[in-house]
Amino acid sequence: MTFHQTHLLGIEALRPEEITTLLDLADRYVDLSRGETKHTDVLAGLTQINMFFENSTRTQASFELAGKRLGADVMNMAMQASSIKKGETLIDTALTLNAMQPDLLVVRHPNSGAVDLLAQKVHCAVLNAGDGRHEHPTQALLDALTIRRAKGRLHRLNIAICGDIAHSRVARSNLILLGKMENRVRLIGPPTLLPAGIQEFGVEVYDDMTEGLKDVDVVMMLRLQKERMDGGFIPSEREYYHRYGLDEAKLSHAKDDAIVMHPGPMNRGVEIDGTIADDINRSVIQDQVEMGVAVRMAAMDLLAQNLRARRANAA
Ligand code: ASP
């Protein structure tokens, strides 16, 4: 098996063969999830704890569903009601949970690097479900699976990531993954929403949608991450939509068969026109949600295999 990770903390640590192994397994889990009996027992006997210190709809639901479809015992910690509110540190919470003998810990946290730190303190496999503006590896993997299934390949594609790049962990993980798989990635957004030194990533940068979308195969839209903005990054949402919102006119510059993606949650009329988001001939937004469950099943299956092998060696 070509997957040697103990945790899934980011795309940075994955080799291209590991990404392919995970996506191939995820393809099988798409078939399982479309079948009558959406269940296997590969995680039977294992305990999965989901800890979300930041709001989530899709990611939390799909990690829970993924664990249940694989037969794990799944527990969702209600972090709003937890001892964190009483002043307990992240590390103390981690040590408390560790004592309950989980096998898989799924963590989302508003601080970049918090999940890596936590992974050093526990004995189980840790999956990063998004840490600050750092990484969101399962999002990039589900995007990769969506692209591979829609385009028939995951290399030598022209891919535009558009909008609030500076605050987006989705953009960062995608940038790393798509680069590793040898695609040409362009970033399009207002200069205020592009991180400093981004050219070093070997990407093309545009501040004009018409120019940037020319001949792209994939258009990936991002939400304005207002919760991470401290100050005015755009003149107004109306002005932003006018210049960077994906509408029919701007999309016409992409290839005729270009697909439109968005990780959600989506702000219609801010970064994307609602009719494009709903156009099943162009938009793969619902496919992304479906692939999310399959990719998370594959990630937990592979990490659990490695965990079992490590335990067997230690015994
Ligand atoms: N759901 C994604 C994330 O957690 C994207 C977003 O929130 O805009 O990063």
Side-chain angles (χ1 to χ4, degrees), residues 90 109 111-118 120 128 131-132 134-135:
L90 172 67
H109 199 280
N111 297 345
S112 305
V115 185
D116 292 44
L117 184 69
L118 194 142
Q120 293 165 25
N128 180 2
D131 64 324
H134 177 227
E135 280 238 33

Side-chain angles (χ1 to χ4, degrees), residues 82-262:
S82 78
S83 292
I84 292 279
K85 288 275 180 279
K86 298 180 187 164
E88 186 174 82
T89 65
L90 172 67
I91 299 305
D92 282 331
T93 306
L95 293 176
T96 304
L97 287 177
N98 193 48
M100 295 180 195
Q101 307 288 348
D103 303 288
L104 296 152
L105 204 50
V106 178
V107 187
R108 169 170 288 191
H109 199 280
N111 297 345
S112 305
V115 185
D116 292 44
L117 184 69
L118 194 142
Q120 293 165 25
K121 306 286 173 191
V122 296
H123 300 125
C124 60
V126 176
L127 294 101
N128 180 2
D131 64 324
R133 58 178 83 172
H134 177 227
E135 280 238 33
H136 193 349
T138 54
Q139 177 71 48
L141 289 161
L142 75 87
D143 289 341
L145 185 62
T146 307
I147 295 171
R148 195 173 81 165
R149 291 173 69 103
K151 293 281 153 204
R153 67 179 199 274
L154 186 60
H155 59 274
R156 278 190 278 109
L157 291 166
N158 288 329
I159 300 173
I161 307 181
C162 317
D164 181 2
I165 318 281
H167 300 103
S168 174
R169 53 196 176 208
V170 175
R172 203 164 173 284
S173 290
N174 262 301
L175 206 52
I176 302 170
L177 188 152
L178 294 169
K180 279 184 198 256
M181 305 312 275
E182 297 183 5
N183 295 282
R184 276 183 64 185
V185 182
R186 303 171 185 183
L187 302 179
I188 315 174
T192 49
L193 292 177
L194 293 170
I198 191 68
Q199 277 85 354
E200 286 160 29
F201 272 84
V203 290
E204 299 166 39
V205 180
Y206 296 85
D207 68 357
D208 180 85
M209 289 284 275
T210 308
E211 249 181 79
L213 289 182
K214 200 166 178 320
D215 292 332
V216 299
D217 300 286
V218 177
V219 185
M220 198 180 278
M221 301 307 299
L222 299 171
R223 180 178 67 90
L224 287 174
Q225 315 259 306
K226 290 194 205 131
E227 70 277 26
R228 288 187 235 291
M229 293 183 190
D230 46 6
F233 283 79
I234 54 161
S236 71
E237 284 187 356
R238 223 174 132 189
E239 174 68 16
Y240 182 82
Y241 180 66
H242 177 66
R243 293 211 52 195
Y244 297 101
L246 188 68
D247 56 15
E248 205 51 68
K250 296 188 191 87
L251 184 57
S252 68
H253 296 277
K255 282 192 184 156
D256 286 343
D257 62 351
I259 55 168
V260 175
M261 308 179 74
H262 194 304

